[in-house]
Every structure is written in C-alpha cells, then in structure tokens.
Amino acid sequence: MLNWLPEDVSTYGKEVDSLFYLIYYITGVVFLLVTVAMIVFLIKYRYQEGRRAIYTHGSTTLEIIWTVVPAIILILLAFKSQAAWSHIKMNTPPGDVQIRVLAKQFNWDITYPGPDGKFGTEDDLPRPGDPVILDEIHVPVNKVVRVELVGKDVIHSFFLPHLRLKQDVLPGRTILAWFQATKPGRYPLPCAELCGIGHSGMLGSLIVHMPEEYAAWVKEKWPTNEKAQ
Amino acid sequence: MSESRAAKGTHEVHEAHAHLGFVRTYIFSTDHKMIGRQFLFMGLFMLIIGGLMAMLIRWELAFPEKPLPVIGASKEFIDTGEPKTSMDQTWAEWLSKPESEQNWLTKNMPMGAITAPLYNSLFTMHATLMIFFVVMPIMVGGFGNFLIPLTIGARDMAFPTLNMLSFWVGLLSGIIMLASLFVPGGSAAAGWTSYAPLTAKVEYTGVNWGQNLWCISLIVMGISSLMGSINYITTIINMRAPGMTFFRMPLITWSLFITAILLLLALPVLTSALAMLLFDRMLGTHFFLPEGGGEPILWQHLFWFFGHPEVYILVLPAMGVTSEVLSVFSRKPIFGYRGMVFAMTAIAFLSWVVWGHHMFVSGMNPLIGTTFMMTTMVIAVPSAIKTFNWLGTLWGGSIRFTTPMLFGLAFVSNFVIGGLSGIFMASTPVDIFIHDTYYIVAHFHYVVAGIIFAIFAAITYWFPKMFGRMMNETLGKIHAILTFIFFNATFFPMHILGVGGHMRRIFNPLQYEFLHPLQPVNVFISISAFCLGVAQLIFLFNFVWSLFAGKRADRNPWHANTLEWITPSPPPHGNFDKIPTVYRGPYEYSSPEVAEDWLPQDRRLETTTAKGAH
C-alpha cells in the first residue's frame, strides 16, 4: 500500500509519511497476529464429537495485559505525532514568499503581495481593478511559502496531496498555512471539502519554479522593481 | 430440553390479550415484539433503497458520466441523435416535452447519465438512510424492542403506547425523508454531515425544500428515538425479573441499555443544531453564517458532538449481538464478561470527548487537535479489549459454524480492520493527508457498514424466535461467505484510493489527472459492489421464503441460555408463561454442573445433587 502515496515534494512530507509507515507496520503486525490467532482457534477448536469446550470466564491478568499494552503503544504514538503536528500546523514560520488564496465556489482566487510583501497595496498582483488570477500559484523551490487562506462563501479545503498539506478554508476568517516545496514541477490543488455542485473539478495548480525561472516570472510580473521577491 | 419445562404454564396473561383484532395486533400494536418486527421491516426496506443508491454512486465513480445500463440511452443516440434502441426512443420522447412536463428522470439523469447535483444527492441520502433509517431502526428499534423485555424477563416495555408512537413517528420521519427525493430542487445534497454554511443558504447548493425536509425528518426521527430510549432505560432499570441483576444481563441488553442512554443525551444536540440550521435557512437568522456574525465551524462542533456518540449508538448493539453469537456457538462463557461491560461503559463516556477528531484540519485551533488526538487514541483501548475478549471466547471453545456465527466472526474481522485503520486518522499529522479522502470512506464503511454483518447475525440468530421458523442454513452460509468476500473486495481497495489522494464526494475522478492511474481500482471496487448487491438477493429470498415456509422452530433451537429462549417461538402477548426467576449469568455454557453444554439462566439446580450428576 505504501507506494500508492503520491510523491512527496515538501520538507515536512517525510514526517507525515514516516508516521504513516510507523502506524502501518504496527497495525499490520496487530492485524496479522489477530487474524492468525483467530484462524488457528477456529480450526483447532472447531466442534468435534466428544470434546467439550473449556469452562472459563476469562483471565484478569490477560485482560490487564491487553488493556495496558495497547494503551501504552497508542499514547506513545500520540506523543510521537505531536512533534510533526506542531511543526506543520502550530508554528507557522515567517515566509520567504507570501500568497493569499481566496476560496470561492468553485475557484481558487490568488493574490501576490508584490515587492513590499504587504497585501492591499498598489503593487499587489493582480493590481486593484485588474482581472482576478484563478487557480494557478507560482512559488520558488526551497523557500518557505506562507499562505493566507480566506473564504468567501462556503467551506473549501486547500489540498496539496504532493506536499501533504490540507487545510479547510472558512468564510469570515483568515487561516495561515505554510509549505516548502523541494522539487520543481506542477502539482494539483483540488478542493477537498464538498462545496456544492461544482465541487468536483474545483482544481488549481501549484507551479514550483527553479530559482532562475522564478526570478524570470517575477521580472515579468513586476518589470519595474529589481528587488521583487 | 427446554420443551420439558414451563410449556404448560399459566396462559391467562395472553388469553386476556388474544382478541385484539387485526389492526391492534399487526398495525397499531403496543406489543414490543410486533413493534420490533415493524422497525425491522422498515429498516430492511430502507436498506434496499440505500443499497441501490450505493450502486448508482459506484456506477458513476467507475464509469463517470456514462449512461446507466438498461435505462440509459445508447452511445450512438448521444453521438448522432438517431434513436437506436427502444430506450432511446423513450428518452427522445421525454426530452422533447416542455420543461414543466418533464419527469424526474429527465431532470436528474438526462439520457440515463447521473448528473453532479443528483450524485451529491445520492451520497447524501445513501448515508442518511443507512445511518438513521437502516442501522438505527433495525438494531435499536427492531432488536432493542424485541429483545429487551424478553432478555430481562419482562412481559412488555414500561410504556407500551409510547413504544407504539415511537414506531409511527419513526415511520413518519422515514416518509418525509423519502418524499424529499421528489421535491423541486432535489433532496439534500450537502453530505450527511450537512456542513454549514453550504447548507445554511439555498443559493449555495440550489437545494431548497430537499434540505428543509431533511432537517425536519431528522427532528421527527429524534422525537421517535427519544420515546424509544426513555422506554428502554425505564424498562431495564425497573422491570428485570427476580434474580436478574445488572451483572446477569446478557451483553446485548447491556449494549442496548448504554446505547439508549447515549441516544437520550446525543439526539437533542442534533435536534438543536437542526433547528438552528432551519432558522438560518427559513427565518434569516445567522447562527452559522459569518456575514451576520455567525460561526461556520459551530455547526461542525454541534454535529460531531452528536455525531461521535452516534457512531457508538450504531456500533454498540452490533458488539452486543456479536458477543451473544460468539459465546453461544463457541459453547463457552464470554471471556471477561465484566471487562466487556466496563469496556462498553468506557466507550460511552469517551465518545463524548473525541468529536474534534473529525475536525483536525477544520480551522479549529491546532492545540485542541492535540487534545482530541489523545482522547481518540485512548478510545481505541476499550475497542481493543472487546476484540481480544472475543478471541478469548473462541479459544478453547467447541465452535459451531452456523450462519449467525459466520456473520459474527465476519463482524469481528471487519471491526479489527476498521479499528486499526482508525489509528491512522487519530494521528493528527497523518490525518492532514488522509482526511476527506477515500481512506476515511474505507474506514467508516469497515466500522459502520460492517454493522450489516451484526445485523445479519442478529436476524439469522433470532429469526426463529421472531417468526417461529428457521431460516435455511445452506443459503445462509452461502450468503454469509459471498457477502464477506465482496464486502472486503469493495471496501478494502478504498484504502488504496485514499492513500493515493483520491478525495471523497467527487463526482468525476477523471477530472483529476493525478487520479487517472487509480481509475482501475475504482472500476474493481464498483464491480465488487455490484456483486455484493446481487449476493443480497440470496438473503432476500431466504428471508421471505423462510417467513412462510421455513421449518418450524422449537423454543430453543440453538440451545442458548438467555431468557428469550424459554418462551414459545414466537412468544405470545405477555411473553412468559410465568415470570422466570434468574439464578445465574447468561453465558454458562459447558458448565461442569450439568451434563448438557448449556445451562439456562432460569434453571434451578439442587446444587448437592447436580454436582454428582455426571
């Protein structure tokens, strides 16, 4: 099942995937043990003429063992998960690049802050009054991208499967997310939360550029400013 | 043999009730057994509809936007406009009518191809029907009603009239839900979770009265289950036969008792949330709409605060059924009876503090996510205890592979998969990726759709008591094995889709290039699902045929210990010839005190003589 995971192209994707593998191996072993035990019992203790079932009401020792052992494993798993959770969701690092994504039925509406790094100023892309930019996000490779997620109508979910990022977007709120892509390329950005009749097919792209390619894109968009990020 | 005892007891009780006439006996009955059967039939009817909806969903996912077989138009007709088949002619005729005269099919599936709005309706109504109108009526309404008085040695429920009302109100709610399929704009189409603000404004989905009726139906259903749960709790607390202490109750009765308490506490939360949603939709309030100061995420908190206990409302009775059949057909006491009761109680308490695991990526403060990850990991422990105790019950048994036993074993093995796959989602970082993908669809079908195995176990096990006839064992076993194979062939590959990033609730997976390599998996799942559907015809035939022509059942065909088996099959009005006195727990199988391998709860043993009996 493991090689079905989409290619991981983010810095924290490995943390998510290694937890996935860890749980996969633990649950896989438990599944095998339980299944083998069940099959052995079903064969060994099937009805046979003249044999009577063992009369027992259980064993407190065994019950304590199979209460405590799973409890310890599960709590350790929770602690182990917390590091990655806190890294991905709780401590958003300052971004090298900022973007704002407005989710609406049924598009991602993208805004770049421009060279001043602030939204709502004259150098934003698209500039005030210009047509909106839909469904395409351009970012540089190996840079921390900080995403401001803003909702307009219903709940959408910003999903980058190859970057192991998913975050619901709520109307009336700004939610911060971040990622750092490690490989240039074009990656799908579907909406993962049912958002109406056009939900299926609400799909954008994340385009991760090599540094020089990104610089060229910036130069194209902000031709007058050399310092543009 | 049980016939040797008690058969010629006093009959005054049911004689007094013998002349109620057709309507009071079969329709407006206050007898808990008839009400139980009514709930069972309602649930089975809804199961057929919910199942057919699943078939349509699977058709769409395997062959997106292609016309359905048989009723769909031919490819030539769609491409050229030249009718080829008689169905083509019908479509041409229907579609040529003015819009006001068009029928349901032309509006929802022109040319026989499912449209996106219909697809959203289908998965919404499939889940709604299966949860609220199949599992709840059959397990809680049907077997809860039938079994509670019988297993505790009572003549009926504490409030028989309330009980009758509970069914009729429940039926009304089912009728409202089905009617919502045919109103203009279609039925509810925002998922069974009906997340606001999508549901809070008509223009977001285009569904108007469909969503309103969905809310109203579930509010009415809440009234029905409130009446039921009060009745169950009161009956179990007050009407147990002499000697029937709480710790001598069968685990099915315990599970129904705990379920009733959860129902009593959880359903009002849903009712209030639904009322707020209706106000937002119809009266212009803004509970969930941010433009008026509302909070979209509030709906999710309320819904899942109900919704997670609801999952255990569904699964606890299934665990109870499984405990019964595993013990009876292993001819062994249940392993760790008290441990089983405490595990269910622990699940009931913990079920109130895990709802946030549905909301890890919802925009809720991530720190709260950490708390819910902890509680969710902890709630896996009592489920593990139950599984290991079931295994312990099999160990050293003398196992009879009857139809109910096969279904009980299937429930256990599917529950193991569903339980283990839940741990992935409990881990917050892993959930970031698999949330809202087919992984979760696989997980909850292993747990919730897996309840169907407990339903089949319960029907095949208690059928002789409910209807006085045996079901056919050969057909039963074939049905059990085929259902197990096709169930796993349907739901296991969904894990693979989810791990590949396949979102749930998408109408056409081919719109996403990165999902194209997974499409053969979708096709495989759909074919398995169709086979799963066809295999149910065996059950349908066996059920109906046995109802009229099955072998007559005696009182205790399975040699079971619990009190329902000392009554005639089916039990008369008033149940017991004489209220039994209970001397021991429900699972004294293969006890050294008697020569047979069962020892009914009400059999009095002269301990001195019994010890030397064999």
Side-chain angles (χ1 to χ4, degrees):
Chain A
M1 201 153 94
L2 299 182
N3 54 2
W4 293 91
L5 277 165
E7 186 190 5
D8 155 39
V9 298
S10 80
T11 47
Y12 52 61
K14 277 175 287 300
E15 297 171 49
V16 172
D17 291 2
S18 68
L19 272 168
F20 182 91
Y21 298 149
L22 176 68
I23 300 173
Y24 179 72
Y25 292 127
I26 293 174
T27 54
V29 168
V30 175
F31 175 71
L32 282 180
L33 288 177
V34 170
T35 309
V36 167
M38 192 162 157
I39 291 170
V40 168
F41 292 170
L42 291 180
I43 295 170
K44 191 167 171 208
Y45 300 112
R46 69 189 183 279
Y47 165 73
Q48 282 161 315
E49 193 65 50
R51 198 180 59 79
R52 203 174 160 97
I54 298 165
Y55 178 73
T56 166
H57 287 90
S59 150
T60 313
T61 320
L62 274 176
E63 283 193 83
I64 290 172
I65 291 173
W66 61 51
T67 307
V68 173
V69 173
I72 291 173
I73 295 174
L74 288 163
I75 287 170
L76 287 179
L77 263 181
F79 278 107
K80 198 155 169 44
S81 300
Q82 181 53 26
W85 176 246
S86 140
H87 181 205
I88 300 168
K89 291 283 184 187
M90 286 162 79
N91 304 310
T92 312
D96 301 320
V97 177
Q98 321 267 342
I99 47 171
R100 177 185 284 167
V101 177
L102 174 78
K104 60 182 187 189
Q105 285 181 329
F106 300 98
N107 291 99
W108 307 107
D109 181 341
I110 318 295
T111 310
Y112 300 87
D116 66 354
K118 290 196 184 80
F119 292 105
T121 52
E122 274 299 308
D123 63 348
D124 283 8
L125 183 74
R127 286 167 186 83
D130 281 3
V132 293
I133 301 172
L134 293 182
D135 300 332
E136 265 198 9
I137 301 179
H138 295 266
V139 296
V141 73
N142 294 327
K143 296 279 186 198
V144 174
V145 179
R146 195 177 158 107
V147 191
E148 274 188 22
L149 294 165
V150 194
K152 189 179 169 191
D153 34 45
V154 304
I155 297 173
H156 301 269
S157 192
F158 184 87
F159 182 28
L160 288 167
H162 298 80
L163 288 104
R164 310 292 188 264
L165 172 61
K166 187 181 288 127
Q167 177 59 54
D168 285 6
V169 189
L170 297 174
R173 276 217 217 165
T174 302
I175 296 172
L176 289 181
W178 72 280
F179 62 84
Q180 187 173 356
T182 56
K183 192 181 161 191
R186 196 182 180 96
Y187 304 103
L189 165 57
C191 172
E193 183 70 68
L194 177 66
C195 59
I197 51 172
H199 166 61
S200 186
M202 175 168 170
L203 175 66
S205 304
L206 174 76
I207 298 137
V208 180
H209 294 286
M210 292 297 278
E212 52 277 22
E213 217 178 75
Y214 182 71
W217 179 81
V218 169
K219 198 163 169 51
E220 185 201 322
K221 299 295 175 190
W222 290 273
T224 54
N225 196 309
E226 288 301 311
K227 288 208 289 99
Q229 35 178 325
Chain B
M1 285 282 142
S2 47
E3 288 91 327
S4 63
R5 175 179 25 89
K8 293 163 193 71
T10 49
H11 287 266
E12 302 92 297
V13 178
H14 38 99
E15 265 168 23
H17 296 273
H19 311 292
L20 283 170
F22 181 81
V23 171
R24 292 294 311 277
T25 311
Y26 294 102
I27 300 172
F28 294 106
S29 170
T30 56
D31 184 326
H32 71 101
K33 298 180 294 298
M34 186 53 68
I35 296 167
R37 290 181 199 113
Q38 289 170 328
F39 268 118
L40 174 67
F41 284 117
M42 170 178 153
L44 290 174
F45 174 74
M46 293 290 203
L47 178 59
I48 295 172
I49 300 183
L52 290 174
M53 286 175 165
M55 301 294 115
L56 293 175
I57 293 168
R58 284 316 316 177
W59 174 266
E60 171 59 30
L61 288 172
F63 312 107
E65 303 185 49
K66 296 270 188 303
L68 293 164
V70 187
I71 69 155
S74 67
K75 193 176 179 310
E76 291 85 347
F77 178 47
I78 293 168
D79 291 345
T80 64
E82 290 297 313
K84 277 272 209 210
T85 64
S86 61
M87 205 57 224
D88 291 351
Q89 308 233 324
T90 316
W91 280 112
E93 193 187 311
W94 281 346
L95 287 166
S96 67
K97 286 184 187 162
E99 210 182 309
S100 58
E101 284 171 43
Q102 287 197 354
N103 62 26
W104 191 89
L105 282 175
T106 54
K107 281 180 192 157
N108 289 283
M109 41 167 95
M111 299 289 192
I114 295 164
T115 56
L118 178 65
Y119 180 78
N120 290 359
S121 278
L122 284 172
F123 66 68
T124 302
M125 297 301 277
H126 163 72
T128 305
L129 291 184
M130 290 302 199
I131 291 165
F132 294 105
F133 297 98
V134 176
V135 177
M136 281 170 74
I138 294 182
M139 286 309 238
V140 185
F143 287 102
N145 254 308
F146 190 81
L147 292 173
I148 286 174
L150 284 171
T151 54
I152 62 170
R155 294 208 185 276
D156 206 319
M157 285 285 181
F159 310 115
T161 311
L162 200 64
N163 205 14
M164 175 183 78
L165 277 174
S166 162
F167 171 73
W168 287 100
V169 172
L171 186 70
L172 173 69
S173 128
I175 291 169
I176 297 173
M177 191 57 83
L178 290 183
S180 79
L181 286 165
F182 302 100
V183 296
S187 71
W192 84 279
T193 51
S194 277
Y195 275 14
L198 183 61
T199 46
K201 264 189 180 178
V202 177
E203 57 262 41
Y204 289 152
T205 53
V207 176
N208 188 4
W209 270 97
Q211 186 73 45
N212 296 349
L213 288 175
W214 186 87
C215 295
I216 292 166
S217 163
L218 291 185
I219 290 173
V220 174
M221 198 274 316
I223 298 170
S224 156
S225 73
L226 196 66
M227 294 192 277
S229 54
I230 289 171
N231 222 339
Y232 293 1
I233 296 169
T234 315
T235 307
I236 291 174
I237 292 178
N238 293 304
M239 295 175 66
R240 282 168 288 124
M244 179 59 88
T245 59
F246 272 103
F247 281 107
R248 280 179 182 169
M249 289 200 313
L251 288 172
I252 178 68
T253 315
W254 262 109
S255 73
L256 289 163
F257 181 52
I258 295 170
T259 298
I261 295 170
L262 288 180
L263 267 176
L264 182 71
L265 301 175
L267 260 292
V269 180
L270 176 68
T271 306
S272 0
L274 290 166
M276 288 156 84
L277 186 59
L278 264 184
F279 290 169
D280 272 12
R281 290 178 65 82
M282 304 181 77
L283 304 178
T285 57
H286 291 88
F287 287 109
F288 307 118
L289 290 165
E291 60 265 36
E295 176 54 72
I297 217 172
L298 173 65
W299 168 266
Q300 292 178 42
H301 281 293
L302 290 172
F303 185 84
W304 289 117
F305 188 69
F306 146 79
H308 212 81
E310 168 71 11
V311 174
Y312 292 100
I313 287 167
L314 302 174
V315 85
L316 281 174
M319 291 171 156
V321 169
T322 305
S323 302
E324 296 305 306
V325 296
L326 255 56
S327 176
V328 170
F329 296 111
S330 300
R331 312 309 294 163
K332 252 195 82 191
I334 196 87
F335 196 95
Y337 171 84
R338 279 177 187 248
M340 293 299 242
V341 173
F342 294 142
M344 285 195 283
T345 315
I347 286 174
F349 277 104
L350 288 169
S351 73
W352 296 100
V353 289
V354 295
W355 84 90
H357 67 214
H358 298 266
M359 301 169 60
F360 286 151
V361 297
S362 68
M364 174 178 81
N365 186 330
L367 192 59
I368 307 177
T370 303
T371 317
F372 281 114
M373 163 165 63
M374 276 291 173
T375 54
T376 305
M377 291 289 182
V378 173
I379 204 171
V381 175
S383 299
I385 297 173
K386 295 201 71 90
T387 306
F388 291 131
N389 280 0
W390 285 326
L391 281 184
T393 306
L394 295 175
W395 173 82
S398 172
I399 297 167
R400 267 75 164 177
F401 293 100
T402 58
T403 307
M405 183 62 165
L406 293 182
F407 279 117
L409 293 168
F411 174 82
V412 174
S413 54
N414 290 330
F415 183 74
V416 168
I417 296 179
L420 291 174
S421 68
I423 297 172
F424 288 80
M425 266 132 356
S427 166
T428 43
V430 179
D431 187 67
I432 296 174
F433 178 64
I434 57 184
H435 181 82
D436 265 331
T437 66
Y438 257 79
Y439 199 91
I440 179 76
V441 179
H443 164 72
F444 65 65
H445 279 94
Y446 264 97
V447 180
V448 177
I451 295 171
I452 196 72
F453 289 95
I455 288 179
F456 286 136
I459 291 176
T460 49
Y461 179 64
W462 280 293
F463 191 90
K465 190 53 63 186
M466 278 187 135
F467 301 107
R469 292 177 187 271
M470 304 297 289
M471 284 181 79
N472 183 295
E473 272 286 301
T474 314
L475 285 178
K477 283 176 190 166
I478 295 170
H479 171 237
I481 291 165
L482 289 181
T483 303
F484 182 71
I485 292 171
F486 291 129
F487 181 94
N488 280 285
T490 301
F491 295 112
F492 198 82
M494 288 186 186
H495 292 107
I496 295 170
L497 288 183
V499 170
H502 191 307
M503 292 79 65
R504 63 192 287 208
R505 294 170 170 173
I506 52 172
F507 164 64
N508 182 351
L510 297 179
Q511 287 169 321
Y512 303 86
E513 213 187 312
F514 78 107
L515 296 180
H516 283 197
L518 292 169
Q519 193 55 17
V521 182
N522 258 329
V523 175
F524 177 83
I525 291 172
S526 294
I527 292 170
S528 308
F530 301 145
C531 294
L532 180 62
V534 171
Q536 304 318 305
L537 295 176
I538 303 171
F539 173 78
L540 192 65
F541 172 78
N542 193 4
F543 186 87
V544 175
W545 182 81
S546 305
L547 216 47
F548 297 103
K551 189 163 77 69
R552 289 262 175 217
D554 63 28
R555 286 182 176 231
N556 190 0
W558 309 117
H559 295 169
N561 290 343
T562 40
L563 294 182
E564 73 271 29
W565 301 104
I566 66 175
T567 64
S569 299
H573 205 91
N575 299 341
F576 296 93
D577 310 316
K578 181 171 158 290
I579 291 294
T581 303
V582 174
Y583 296 99
R584 62 187 64 77
Y587 301 115
E588 293 302 298
Y589 295 102
S590 304
S591 160
E593 288 188 273
V594 284
E596 317 86 73
D597 63 359
W598 80 100
L599 179 52
Q601 287 189 276
D602 71 323
R603 186 182 303 172
R604 184 169 185 169
L605 286 184
E606 297 303 330
T607 37
T608 42
T609 53
K611 267 181 187 152
H614 53 279

